[in-house]
């Protein structure tokens, strides 16, 4: 058989297979290209060793691979040992209801399976593969575990049924006792099945075909037996052929015993309908899964449903109670006491009915099909074939599904079982694991106990398969294009709901345990976030929700109660300024929008590449920062920031606050760079945005630190062995618990409340929760207490938890001369003095530009400059031990040179060991004490 999967891979890789073999390739130009010359990996032809040793794997068509396999899995032990008993309990009508309810669930599930299977190439893994690739690893992982376990239980169920029939054939030849005999026979049986499975799929498939032929002969023997006139021996056991009175008698239910109720009968019967995924579970071994799975599964359901309905109605040719004693036949003119339908048929079963000691009949014997058939041993052979074929199919399915789960690396410590062997990549280790799980449940040795458990697990699997189909359909993803059209998203949703309802109606405690296991496994995958991307419908649904909510939000007017600081953070590559990223993430995570803007200027050696972008996003995710990353090319910082301010965001999800780092090298860099930096702040105010400038004593850029570690700053993401430097060693102060330190807020100017809102949002975080917020305001000595009381009232009305309010009364005092001299020295290089001559190109650059400060301007802004220096003295005096200081940023006025404004920012924030945030809102309220 040709290996279509290898052929498809070769065609996708640009290689056409040779007519000799799918592994061989026709001549191609790239086989002769030099890899170093083209700059990419050179494609190679297969080696002689590969051509010599490679053998073609076995592949199956839709008949042998799906239809026969599903039919054998559906025709299990329940058909031969419990269907007649269920009919006696529920009656013909309710038995048909039970059968049709089961078929309804499995039919809807099969339509969903067909739709998913035809929406792209299905690999090995069956039901798990379909659910995981549709709903994602979060739901696929748990159901893969549950589904693998359910298949192992299915193997145990059918093995126990086979063992019961063997025990019954032994009659009085008891080895130990009834329960232990089932355990012994079951252990031997499952061991033999394991050996057949280990022999390979080819032998397993041949065995299944043999079982199928035996079942066909068995069914023919059974239906022929219904027309053969009953012998006295069969009549004594309750079989009288087709009689209207017997049919009417068996039409309605006759509940008996503790298990006598509808849902218990349904729970026992349902495992006989669960084999619809037997073909899908070996999807990797099919020639054409997209065609074989829908066609084979639907044909199998139709055929087996008809057989169940016919067998249940023909089994009703037997009385519910019979003694099996030939002496209970009535003479022709018998006139003694006799009750029940048997009296009209010439038999008196009254004694055993009244004493409830009847050994035969629908209600008492599990061997009714053997009784009705033309040749009883053939029914036994059919029972053996059905139970063993189903057990074998489950024993093969469970390892195949589990192997796929192991290879996806969703859960730890199970990868050992994913290794494959041989040409068919057989999961031998998973076979051994399945064997021991099945063996553990075989030791229970009671069919009616195992059946409800397996019903629960498979109903859960069907619920998720149907929900997968529904979810993929309702998200309207362009990638959802199944070639199988005979399905509906609403029937899939109905199938999912009815499966969950039936789980709780059948065995509520088992349903709770099942959902508990799934929720635990779901929580683990959600927490670990495995690095897989399968294009799931959950991703499509997330996109739809985000798009819908974003559009809906656009039609809603802004309200001050819903204000959030949505930050555009000029980080450059985020991994080079982790402190800036961590700080903004501290008050925006799960609260508001954060966008890391990376402006790539002409002098940058970096380029915008999807690879670098993806790695930076992964870095943000590993650091648990909820942020977008947006690179943008611009000629300068000002141009790039201006464009980002206008273009970043979507609808109402747009930044309203610009966050940037303080330019610590402003005195050494070119004046044009300072002009660019300050004009970026000016443009932000002109755009009606808030501004935040973070300054730290050691700076924010860690490029030099990484270079000291021997890592190139721009190639830091390309070096896989340097990830630990970025992620583990580079920790910032904002990742530590702040304890009971103070957050000091110098609310010098009323900016609408942003200066107060940011520290409030910080204190909601675990790391900042114990910190105390102190608010400093400017006031007069005479009215100090009144101003403090007024501010306390305002803050209480804002419902802000402020520890203390301090009124500063000495802000108008002149600064110390040494501090004022330091300020003047910082701008000395930017001063323009009369009569000063150019002394060189560098000096000429400083004296010819808008950043220069004339004596006139210096005199005009002298008082403001002194107040900035004085305020810094106050801050250093009061906040030397603070965890964070926030200071209102002065709004630049027209005519203020950029270098002077930069010196003001430097004067306000210098000399502090803790981080300091220079902050200013856009003069619009972001806090309110009103309800509307």
């Amino acid at each position: 058989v040709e290996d279509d999967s290898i052929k498809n891979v070769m065609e996708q890789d640009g290689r056409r297979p040779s007519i000799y073999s799918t592994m061989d390739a026709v001549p191609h130009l790239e086989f002769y290209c030099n890899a170093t010359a083209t700059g990419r990996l050179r494609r190679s032809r297969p080696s002689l060793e590969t051509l010599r040793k490679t053998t073609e794997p076995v592949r199956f068509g839709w008949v042998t691979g799906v239809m026969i396999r599903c039919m054998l899995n559906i025709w299990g032990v329940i058909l031969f040992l419990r269907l007649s008993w269920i009919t006696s309990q529920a009656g013909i009508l309710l038995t048909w209801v039970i059968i049709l309810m089961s078929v309804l669930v499995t039919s809807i599930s099969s339509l969903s399976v067909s739709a998913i299977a035809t929406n792209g190439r299905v690999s090995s893994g069956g039901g798990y593969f379909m659910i995981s690739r549709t709903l994602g690893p979060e739901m696929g992982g748990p159901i893969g575990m549950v589904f693998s376990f359910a298949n192992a239980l299915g193997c145990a169920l059918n093995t126990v049924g086979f063992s019961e029939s063997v025990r019954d054939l032994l009659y009085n030849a008891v080895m130990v006792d009834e329960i232990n005999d089932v355990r012994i026979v079951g252990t031997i049986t499952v061991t033999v099945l394991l050996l057949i499975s280990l022999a390979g799929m080819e032998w397993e498939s041949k065995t299944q075909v043999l079982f199928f032929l035996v079942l066909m002969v068995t069914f023919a023997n059974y239906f022929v037996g219904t027309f053969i006139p009953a012998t006295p021996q069969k009549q004594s056991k309750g079989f009288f052929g087709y009689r209207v009175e017997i049919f009417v008698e068996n039409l309605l239910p006759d509940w008996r015993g503790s298990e006598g109720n509808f849902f218990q009968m349904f729970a026992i019967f349902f495992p006989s309908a669960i084999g619809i995924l037997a073909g899908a579970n070996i999807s990797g071994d099919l020639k054409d899964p997209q065609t074989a799975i829908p066609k084979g599964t639907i044909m199998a359901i139709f055929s087996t449903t008809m057989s169940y309905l016919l067998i249940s109605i023909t089994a009703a040719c037997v009385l519910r109670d019979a003694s099996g004693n030939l002496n209970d036949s009535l003479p022709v003119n018998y006139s003694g006491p006799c009750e029940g339908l048997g009296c009209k048929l010439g038999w008196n079963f009254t004694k055993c009915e009244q004493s409830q000691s009847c050994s035969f009949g629908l209600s008492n014997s599990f061997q009714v099909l053997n009784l009705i058939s033309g040749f009883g041993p053939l029914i036994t052979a059919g029972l053996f074939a059905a139970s063993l074929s189903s057990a074998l199919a489950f024993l093969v399915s469970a390892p195949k599904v589990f192997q796929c789960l192991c290879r996806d690396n969703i859960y730890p410590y199970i990868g050992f079982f994913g290794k494959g062997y041989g040409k068919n990549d057989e999961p031998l280790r998973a076979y051994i694991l399945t064997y021991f799980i099945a063996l553990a449940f075989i030791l229970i040795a009671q069919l009616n106990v195992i059946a409800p458990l397996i019903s629960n697990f498979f109903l859960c699997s069907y619920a998720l398969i149907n929900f997968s189909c529904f979810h993929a359909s309702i998200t309207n993803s362009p990638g959802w294009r199944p070639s199988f059209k005979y399905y509906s998203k609403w029937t899939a949703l109905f199938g999912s709901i009815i499966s969950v309802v039936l789980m709780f109606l059948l065995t509520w405690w088992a349903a709770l345990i099942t959902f508990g296991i799934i929720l635990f496994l779901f929580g683990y995958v959600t927490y670990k976030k495995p690095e897989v991307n399968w294009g799931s419908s959950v991703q499509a649904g997330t996109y739809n929700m985000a798009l819908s909510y974003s559009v809906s939000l656009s039609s809603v007017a802004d309200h001050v109660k819903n204000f959030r600081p949505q930050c555009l953070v000029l980080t450059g590559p985020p991994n080079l300024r982790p402190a800036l990223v961590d700080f903004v993430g501290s008050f925006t995570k799960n609260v508001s929008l954060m966008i890391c803007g990376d402006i790539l200027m002409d002098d940058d050696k970096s380029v915008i590449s999807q690879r670098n972008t993806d790695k930076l996003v992964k870095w943000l995710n590993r650091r648990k920062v909820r942020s977008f990353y947006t690179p943008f090319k611009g000629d300068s910082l000002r141009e790039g920031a201006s464009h980002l301010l206008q273009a970043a965001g979507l609808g109402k999800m747009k930044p309203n606050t610009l966050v940037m780092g303080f330019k610590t090298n402003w005195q050494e860099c070119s004046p044009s760079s300072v002009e660019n930096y300050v004009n970026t702040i000016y443009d932000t105010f002109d755009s009606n945005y808030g501004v935040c400038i973070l300054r730290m004593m050691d700076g924010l850029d860690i490029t030099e630190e990484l270079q000291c570690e021997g890592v190139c700053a721009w190639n830091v993401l390309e070096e896989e062995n340097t990830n630990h430097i970025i992620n583990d060693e580079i920790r910032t102060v904002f990742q530590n618990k702040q304890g009971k330190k103070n957050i000091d807020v110098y609310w010098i100017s009323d900016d609408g409340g942003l200066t107060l809102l940011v520290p409030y949002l910080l204190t909601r975080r675990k790391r900042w929760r114990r910190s105390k917020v102190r608010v400093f305001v400017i006031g007069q000595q005479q009215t100090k207490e009144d101003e403090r009381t007024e501010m306390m009232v305002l803050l209480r009305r804002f419902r802000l938890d402020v520890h203390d309010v301090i009124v500063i009364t000495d802000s108008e005092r002149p600064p110390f001369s040494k501090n004022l001299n330091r300020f003047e020295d910082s701008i000395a290089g930017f001063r323009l003095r009369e009569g000063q001559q150019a002394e060189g190109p560098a000096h000429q650059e400083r004296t010819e530009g808008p950043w220069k400060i004339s004596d006139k301007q210096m005199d005009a802004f002298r008082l403001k400059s002194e107040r900035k220096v004085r305020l810094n003295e106050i801050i250093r005096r009061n906040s030397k031990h603070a965890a964070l200081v926030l200071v209102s940023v002065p709004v630049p006025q027209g005519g203020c040179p950029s270098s002077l404004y930069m010196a003001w920012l430097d004067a306000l924030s210098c000399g502090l060991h803790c981080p300091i945030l220079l902050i200013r809102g856009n003069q619009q309220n972001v806090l309110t004490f009103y309800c509307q």
Side-chain angles (χ1 to χ4, degrees):
V1 181
E2 288 295 325
D3 185 5
D4 293 339
S5 62
I6 296 177
K7 184 177 179 181
N8 291 337
V9 170
M10 291 184 68
E11 289 176 350
Q12 291 172 5
D13 197 34
R15 293 179 290 164
R16 287 190 296 109
S18 167
I19 62 174
Y20 295 144
S21 170
T22 55
M23 288 298 296
D24 210 348
V26 300
H28 198 282
L29 172 66
E30 292 207 5
F31 294 157
Y32 299 89
C33 291
N34 189 341
T36 57
T38 60
R40 58 179 179 176
L41 186 65
R42 180 171 66 90
R43 294 172 180 167
S44 59
R45 64 183 67 84
S47 65
L48 281 174
E49 182 182 11
T50 301
L51 293 174
R52 287 275 296 160
K53 294 186 176 181
T54 300
T55 56
E56 301 288 354
V58 179
R59 293 288 184 258
F60 306 110
W62 72 273
V63 176
T64 56
V66 181
M67 189 184 78
I68 290 180
R69 187 174 296 274
C70 287
M71 291 174 71
L72 288 172
N73 221 9
I74 294 171
W75 283 330
V77 66
I78 301 297
L79 171 67
F80 289 92
L81 294 183
R82 292 297 185 271
L83 183 58
S84 59
W85 176 72
I86 292 172
T87 304
S88 74
Q89 292 269 359
I92 297 173
L93 293 179
L94 288 184
T95 300
W96 276 41
V97 171
I98 290 172
I99 294 172
L100 294 177
M101 280 179 60
S102 303
V103 171
L104 177 65
V105 174
T106 56
S107 297
I108 293 174
S109 302
S110 70
L111 296 179
S112 299
V113 167
S114 300
I116 297 172
T118 58
N119 190 54
R121 187 173 181 273
V122 178
S123 183
S124 61
Y128 159 71
F129 183 89
M130 297 177 190
I131 295 173
S132 61
R133 270 54 176 181
T134 304
L135 287 180
E138 292 81 5
M139 290 305 301
I143 204 58
M145 283 284 196
V146 171
F147 193 57
S148 301
F149 189 71
N151 277 276
L153 281 186
C155 176
L157 174 81
N158 286 279
T159 304
V160 169
F162 169 79
S163 304
E164 280 189 7
S165 61
V166 171
R167 178 200 61 191
D168 294 341
L169 284 176
L170 295 176
Y171 296 106
N172 294 324
V174 178
M175 290 179 283
V176 183
D177 55 51
E178 289 188 353
I179 296 296
N180 284 309
D181 285 0
V182 171
R183 291 169 178 166
I184 293 170
V185 175
T187 302
I188 296 171
T189 303
V190 76
T191 303
V192 173
L193 293 178
L194 174 66
L195 296 176
I196 295 174
S197 301
L198 295 178
M201 287 297 296
E202 192 172 1
W203 281 96
E204 187 267 347
S205 179
K206 292 177 180 178
T207 305
Q208 295 286 37
V209 172
L210 175 63
F211 286 151
F212 183 76
L213 294 176
V214 171
L215 279 173
M216 290 299 99
V217 174
T218 300
F219 289 140
N221 168 59
Y222 171 79
F223 287 112
V224 168
T226 61
F227 292 99
I228 297 176
T231 62
Q233 288 80 4
K234 288 187 175 184
Q235 288 183 357
S236 68
K237 296 178 181 180
F239 175 60
F240 291 89
Y242 292 107
R243 296 289 186 96
V244 175
E245 55 268 38
I246 298 178
F247 179 82
V248 172
E249 177 74 15
N250 291 329
L251 205 58
L252 299 177
D254 180 23
W255 307 115
R256 299 185 183 184
S258 59
E259 297 176 336
N261 63 78
F262 178 83
F263 288 109
Q264 185 65 25
M265 293 300 108
F266 182 88
I268 293 173
F269 174 81
F270 187 76
S272 65
I274 60 178
I276 61 168
L277 294 178
N281 287 340
I282 63 162
S283 52
D285 298 307
L286 300 175
K287 290 181 184 177
D288 184 9
Q290 290 180 300
T291 303
I293 291 174
K295 189 187 299 184
T297 304
I298 293 172
M299 286 297 295
I301 290 176
F302 175 78
S303 304
T304 53
T305 301
M306 294 304 299
S307 66
Y308 275 123
L309 293 174
L310 291 175
I311 290 175
S312 65
I313 198 171
T314 52
C317 298
V318 180
L319 293 175
R320 283 191 167 101
D321 296 294
S323 63
N325 189 350
L326 291 174
N327 295 327
D328 286 339
S329 61
L330 296 176
V332 178
N333 296 321
Y334 179 75
S335 59
C338 184
E339 298 179 2
L341 183 59
C343 301
K344 300 178 181 179
L345 301 174
W347 292 82
N348 187 0
F349 301 131
T350 305
K351 183 178 179 180
C352 75
E353 286 180 11
Q354 291 177 348
S355 61
Q356 297 182 355
S357 60
C358 295
S359 302
F360 296 92
L362 284 178
S363 298
N364 307 294
S365 174
F366 294 145
Q367 304 293 332
V368 170
L369 270 66
N370 197 318
L371 172 68
I372 297 175
S373 66
F375 183 60
L378 277 180
I379 294 296
T380 303
L383 169 60
F384 288 179
S387 55
L388 292 177
S389 64
S390 297
L392 186 59
F394 282 123
L395 187 59
V396 170
S397 297
K400 295 282 186 180
V401 174
F402 194 62
Q403 181 187 39
C404 185
L405 176 64
C406 294
R407 289 181 171 178
D408 284 339
N409 293 319
I410 295 177
Y411 297 108
Y413 313 120
I414 62 173
F416 172 81
F417 299 101
K419 183 176 176 59
Y421 297 87
K423 60 183 180 181
N424 270 49
D425 198 30
E426 296 291 343
L428 301 186
R429 295 174 179 176
Y431 275 122
I432 302 299
L433 177 64
T434 304
Y435 166 78
F436 282 108
I437 294 174
L439 187 61
F441 282 88
I442 287 171
L443 296 179
I444 295 176
Q446 295 184 40
L447 198 65
N448 290 3
V449 174
I450 302 174
L453 294 177
I454 192 174
S455 297
N456 201 277
F457 285 120
F458 273 97
L459 278 169
C460 183
S461 302
Y462 295 154
L464 281 174
I465 288 174
N466 285 306
F467 183 75
S468 299
C469 181
F470 166 75
H471 197 269
S473 302
I474 204 150
T475 53
N476 294 321
S477 172
W480 175 250
R481 303 185 302 276
S483 57
F484 182 82
K485 304 298 182 183
Y486 305 103
Y487 76 97
S488 168
K489 57 187 176 185
W490 302 116
T491 57
L493 178 62
F494 173 76
S496 181
I497 293 173
I498 196 66
S499 297
V500 173
V501 170
L502 288 173
M503 284 178 66
F504 284 94
L505 289 177
L506 299 184
T507 320
W508 64 267
W509 58 268
L512 288 177
I513 293 175
T514 303
F515 278 108
I517 294 172
I518 288 179
L519 287 175
F520 172 77
L521 296 173
F522 172 81
Y524 176 84
V525 179
T526 304
Y527 175 76
K528 297 299 289 186
K529 292 183 175 58
E531 294 185 3
V532 295
N533 185 6
W534 296 326
S536 66
S537 63
V538 172
Q539 293 173 329
T542 302
Y543 174 84
N544 279 356
M545 290 175 62
L547 181 62
S548 176
Y549 288 147
S550 297
V551 173
S552 300
L553 198 61
S554 299
S555 61
V556 179
D558 291 330
H559 195 284
V560 62
K561 290 199 300 183
N562 292 325
F563 176 86
R564 299 160 187 259
Q566 302 188 138
C567 299
L568 171 61
V569 192
L570 300 184
T571 59
N575 63 308
L576 298 185
R577 291 176 179 83
L580 185 59
V581 171
D582 292 339
F583 172 70
V584 180
S586 297
F587 65 86
T588 59
K589 186 176 182 181
N590 298 326
V591 173
S592 60
L593 175 70
M594 176 180 174
I595 299 175
C596 291
D598 184 4
I599 301 171
L600 306 175
M601 291 175 274
D602 291 340
D603 58 342
D604 287 340
K605 303 301 182 183
S606 60
V607 294
I608 299 177
S609 70
Q610 189 61 43
R611 184 182 179 189
N612 283 344
T613 299
D614 291 343
K615 287 191 175 183
L616 286 169
V617 171
K618 288 180 180 179
W619 181 87
L620 289 169
N621 291 336
R622 285 196 299 268
R623 210 167 179 89
K624 297 182 180 179
V625 176
R626 302 289 291 272
S627 173
F628 297 98
Y629 169 71
T630 304
F632 192 90
K633 284 188 175 181
D635 293 334
S636 65
L637 174 68
R638 182 181 185 182
E639 179 190 341
S642 176
H643 290 159
L644 279 174
L645 285 171
Q646 297 176 65
L650 180 68
K652 292 295 178 67
M653 299 290 292
K654 295 189 66 173
N656 53 32
T657 305
L658 179 72
V659 184
M660 54 200 305
F662 182 79
K663 191 173 183 64
T664 54
N665 65 341
W666 68 277
Q667 298 180 61
E668 293 80 21
C669 67
S670 64
S672 59
S673 178
V674 176
E675 179 76 11
N676 224 322
Y677 181 86
V678 174
N679 281 333
T680 300
I681 300 174
Y682 291 174
D683 292 344
T684 305
F685 284 129
D686 292 340
S687 301
N688 205 30
Y689 277 60
V691 172
C692 295
I693 303 171
L694 181 66
R695 182 174 187 176
M696 297 182 67
M697 184 178 64
D698 297 327
L700 296 170
D701 196 330
I702 63 168
T703 302
E704 293 183 1
E705 186 175 347
L706 291 176
Q707 287 175 336
C708 291
E709 297 285 346
V711 183
C712 175
W714 288 114
N715 295 329
V716 70
L717 289 174
E718 303 295 331
E719 303 289 338
E720 294 296 334
N721 60 347
T722 62
N723 283 342
H724 69 283
I725 296 175
I726 304 171
N727 298 321
D728 299 332
E729 295 184 7
I730 304 298
R731 289 187 59 85
T732 66
V733 66
F734 302 110
Q735 292 179 310
N736 302 327
K737 290 186 177 181
Q738 303 301 318
K740 295 182 178 181
K741 294 181 180 180
N742 295 326
I743 299 177
D744 288 346
V745 181
Y746 289 83
W747 200 16
I748 308 303
S749 301
D750 193 338
D751 60 349
L754 182 64
T755 307
L756 295 175
L757 183 61
V758 168
Y760 165 72
L761 294 175
L762 280 173
T763 54
R764 292 171 59 180
R765 298 296 176 193
K766 186 176 181 180
R767 294 189 180 105
W768 297 84
R769 191 165 295 163
R770 300 177 66 191
S771 300
K772 299 176 181 179
V773 178
R774 300 190 301 175
V775 176
F776 294 79
V777 294
I778 303 296
Q780 300 294 327
Q781 183 65 37
Q782 298 85 347
T783 58
K784 177 180 178 180
E785 289 302 321
D786 293 338
E787 290 176 349
R788 182 179 184 276
T789 302
E790 182 182 348
M791 181 56 63
M792 289 290 288
V793 170
L794 177 63
L795 295 175
R796 277 198 296 267
R797 296 185 71 178
F798 282 147
R799 303 172 306 282
L800 298 175
D801 186 15
V802 174
H803 177 68
D804 195 10
V805 172
I806 301 170
V807 179
I808 302 171
T809 60
D810 57 349
S811 61
E812 295 184 0
R813 287 178 51 186
F816 294 111
S817 57
K818 65 175 183 179
N819 295 327
L820 190 58
N821 291 336
R822 192 199 70 83
F823 171 77
E824 291 180 349
D825 291 342
S826 69
I827 58 174
F830 297 93
R831 295 291 297 275
L832 177 63
R833 304 183 189 277
E834 293 183 8
Q836 189 174 28
Q837 302 297 319
E839 298 177 2
H843 181 76
Q844 184 177 2
E845 182 185 5
R846 288 183 181 273
T847 58
E848 295 179 1
W851 52 82
K852 59 189 176 182
I853 308 172
S854 66
D855 291 344
K856 183 179 179 181
Q857 290 171 322
M858 190 67 192
D859 292 337
F861 292 108
R862 183 174 301 277
L863 181 59
K864 292 185 178 181
S865 299
E866 291 178 355
R867 287 183 176 177
K868 307 297 188 299
V869 176
R870 176 57 186 161
L871 181 58
N872 176 257
E873 293 174 354
I874 295 171
I875 294 172
R876 284 190 290 167
R877 182 184 67 203
N878 293 306
S879 304
K880 62 175 67 175
H881 301 300
L884 176 68
V885 174
L886 294 92
V887 184
S888 297
V889 172
V891 176
Q893 297 176 348
C896 179
S898 58
S899 56
L900 181 58
Y901 185 75
M902 193 70 216
W904 288 352
L905 298 181
D906 183 46
L908 279 172
S909 58
C910 69
L912 285 173
H913 293 281
C914 66
I916 182 167
L917 182 70
L918 304 173
I919 182 170
R920 186 76 181 221
N922 63 355
Q923 301 302 111
Q924 296 178 5
N925 289 349
V926 301
L927 297 174
T928 182
F929 43 75
Y930 294 108
C931 294
Q932 62 182 11

